[in-house]
Structure formats: C-alpha cells, structure tokens
Amino acid sequence: MNKETRDLLFDQAKQWILEAGATIRRKINDPITIQTKSNANDLVTTMDKETEQFFVGKIKSKYPSHYLFSEEGFGDKLSSLEGTVWIIDPIDGTMNFVHQKRHFAISVGIYQDGIGEIGFIYDVMADILYSAKKGEGAMKNGAKLPPLKTDLTLQESIVGMNHYWLCKNNLVKETAMQELVKQVRGTRTYGSAALEFAYVAEGIIDCYLAMKLSPWDIAAGKIIVHEVGGITTNISGNEFTMLDSDAVLTCHPAIHESILSEFLIKGKK
Amino acid sequence: MNKETRDLLFDQAKQWILEAGATIRRKINDPITIQTKSNANDLVTTMDKETEQFFVGKIKSKYPSHYLFSEEGFGDKLSSLEGTVWIIDPIDGTMNFVHQKRHFAISVGIYQDGIGEIGFIYDVMADILYSAKKGEGAMKNGAKLPPLKTDLTLQESIVGMNHYWLCKNNLVKETAMQELVKQVRGTRTYGSAALEFAYVAEGIIDCYLAMKLSPWDIAAGKIIVHEVGGITTNISGNEFTMLDSDAVLTCHPAIHESILSEFLIKGKK
C-alpha cells in the first residue's frame, strides 16, 4: 500500500471510529440486551452488533472491493488475507462494557495482502485513541508514543494476564506460570485484549499474555505494538496467522525471549 | 462525632486532598527517586513522602489534638484508635504511580474512637473523588452512588484479586482460589487496593480480595463500601482491626458469605 492510500484510509477509518465511539457514549446508559456465545461468560450485546453493522455499512459502501473480518460475523468469511482487509472488533472487552460501562475499546486493523498497514484501538469512554501507520510509529491521541525503552529486566516488568493461566489448563503447566508471577514485579488484568496491547505499546505494562485470541482481538494491537518496537507471537514463538485464534504473547523486546523460553515453552503441555 | 463537626472536617479534608492531587499531577513527569521497602517490589518514592508530609503539616497545624496514622511513618505511632484519627495512604498503588503515572489514589479515612466517619479515595490522574460520610451514603465526584443492587450470583460476579492467591501461599490453598476463579464471571487486577475498594462501592467489580493490607490501604475504602451496603472483613469473617495488617475481603453482600465459607475458610491453611 502506498503512503497516499494509507493516509487517506487512516483518516477515513479514524473518522468512522470516532463516530462509532460517540454513538456508544451517547447510548451507554440505555438498557442492554445481553446474550452469551461460546460459554456463559462470553457475552455479546446489541451494541456489539450495531457497532459492527455500522462499520460493515460504511466500508462496503465506500470500499466495495475491501474485505471485512469481524467478531460478530456480519463481515466476510475469509480464508486468506489477500487484498485490503479490515479486521474489526466492535467492542473489545464486552464484559467490561456490560459490568463497568468503561474499559472497553473499538479495535480496527487494516491489512494489505497480510501486511499490517493501519491500527486503531479506541478506549471509547476515556476518549483515548491509540493508532499506528506502518513504518511511521504509533500515536496516543495524536502524540507520538516513544519507542519502548531498551533497559528492562523481567524482575522490573509488569505482566498483563488473566488468572486462568494459573489454573489447570491445556496450554501450559500452571506451576510454570506461577513461577513467572513470582519473578516479575507485578501483574495486572484489565479485561480488554485490545487495551492491554495498547498498554504494552505505551509501556505501562511490559507484556500481555492471552490464552486464546481471535484475529479481531489482535489485528490493531499487533501493528501498534510493532511500531514502538514490541514483539507479538504465539506462545511457541511463531507469528500469529491472523486467520485463526491462538494463544498470544505481546511483549517488550527485552523480555520476550525469556518469557517465551523460560516459562511458556519450558512449561508447555 | 456530630454532623456539624463531620461536615466541617469533610470539607477541610476534601480541600487538602484536591490540593495534594493537583500537586502530584503538576509533578507527574518530574524525575522520581524510587526506593524499596519490605521487598524489591514494595516501592516508595519521594512523592509518597512529600504528599504524606503535606498532610501531616496541615493536620497537625489545624487539628493539633488529632492523630495521624499513615503509610510512610511521618504520623503518630498508634496503639489504639481513641480520639480523632486520620488514616492516610498518600499514594496507594505506588507501583502504578511509578510504572504507569496513573491508576493510583490518595486514600484518607477519618475515624472517631474507632468508628469510621469520613472516607475519601481520590483517583488523582482521572480526577475522580470517591467519598462517604457515615450514615449519609457514598459519592463519586459529587453524585450519589446507588446502593449495591441486591440480585447477584457468584457466577455473575467480577472479582478483583492479585495473582498470588493462585500461587502457593501461607493463607489459603491455591486450588481453592483456582476453583473460585473458575466459578465467577471474571477477574481483574488493578494494582491499587484503594481504587479496588472504590470499584466495589461503585459496583464495577463485586468483590476485592487482598492477602495483606495495612490500615491506610483500607481505612477510607471500608467506610465507602459500607455506605453502599457492602461488607468488609478479614478472610476469617472477622472485622479488620484497623491497627494491624491483615488479609481482606470487601464484597457485595450477596456473595460475601459464599466467598468466605466456600473458598476462603474451606481452603484455609
């Protein structure tokens, strides 16, 4: 994608995201209808669906040749990332949306033939927009995010992860992850993968680990984290395919290798 | 304490808290000197100390008969709660202050002969002040917080807790806490006890569990949570003494008993 195309697409996507966010803020205290998906704690609301449909309508009308890959299924069914593909989570952190009416984000990544070109993570209630353009760095509300500082040890790191990593699970021995918890400075759990990617990019946490993320959870975050020098892989150290769900590690570069090899790979089941 | 005294003290404390918060915001990007206390992750900065000294100076000058019990030790050494006692954490969530420059709070509780009269939790960077007066309910930035809704099951609850509960520890079997994690809707870790108390009071999390809190971590939060109908105890179900540190459970009333008996007491070591 050339710079002119990328810039135009960035401006258009940004406008739609801010518009969708304003709508959500206006309706935040309306009664909501909650359904569950894969399990009782996998929530979806009419707001998720309406927001996704807003993006589908806008994108399909202005860019009929673009594809759209999104959480609630109103987009396209994709088996490849050829062409221009928008990968969207209309509300990342639906549990927070439902229970907290804050701490959720709109996540939009735009890929060209599999290459991440544009990423947006919009903390809707705080009105904070994280963004990135390929090769041009990442921004927070228009201010450039500095590259991640180079000097960081595991012992000084703050790790975002949910508590299931420390319970019996199919991916990794819980004792290995308990050891990680004891070695790092602190752990946090915020309940929105997109925001935790943004926090890694901002350097307010140094790593985020998730057991199962879908492409729409990670599409924007991977680009934004990359632009400040962070690394995103699955928990075997391979690239996330962006077509299937996978366990994910996004990380400050100074600690990626040690978290991967000393805890995730060593503890692998 | 009579209402007039309480109202005057509330207004004065509020003014000092907002002033201290404004100073912290003004200095938030200044270089900070970090020291460690009980362990490498127990941080203290000059900002903690300066903020505490600000309160000591104000309180001792205006209310020379009042006592002050505070984290960094510039206050009094107390062996009882007789009289009017200010219990202060100048920066609750010092790790967040250092690593995130946000998500920390000033916590001030005022007790009269051991009875909680006034509580303030000030999210400094977000400029959100949670407060309560005994018997008059709790507020968030001047708007009354509604009483906690009565219908809540454990399965719908969000629990604030750190990850050490799920590692081998001296208090409770980690397997009991892992079972709790699996039964509830979700878990969160924010890194500030005072803010997690405020979130319980606001109903955006339903319970907060901490392995070791000091009086200054809990003094304000206990009052604020109580005013919306929440319950705070130690993990044996007894009252927190407010003179020593202890493990703490602050909770929506509908789930306090089951978290206590089915997980904490059943899993007790």
Side-chain angles (χ1 to χ4, degrees), chain A residues 104-124:
Chain A
F104 59 87
I106 298 172
S107 174
V108 175
I110 305 178
Y111 284 68
Q112 179 66 44
D113 299 320
I115 294 169
E117 299 279 349
I118 293 166
F120 288 103
I121 295 170
Y122 186 40
D123 181 336
V124 173

Side-chain angles (χ1 to χ4, degrees), chain A residues 30-79:
Chain A
D30 289 0
I32 50 175
T33 307
I34 306 164
Q35 294 173 297
T36 58
K37 295 191 289 187
S38 64
N39 65 63
N41 299 327
D42 185 11
L43 311 178
V44 61
T45 72
T46 44
M47 191 74 88
D48 298 73
K49 294 178 185 176
E50 284 171 18
T51 304
E52 182 164 314
Q53 284 168 326
F54 166 85
F55 282 107
V56 173
K58 293 289 189 189
I59 294 163
K60 289 293 173 186
S61 157
K62 180 150 184 181
Y63 304 112
S65 69
H66 290 191
Y67 299 100
L68 194 155
F69 196 27
S70 48
E71 174 155 29
E72 309 313 336
F74 299 107
D76 302 299
K77 307 280 170 245
L78 289 194
S79 55

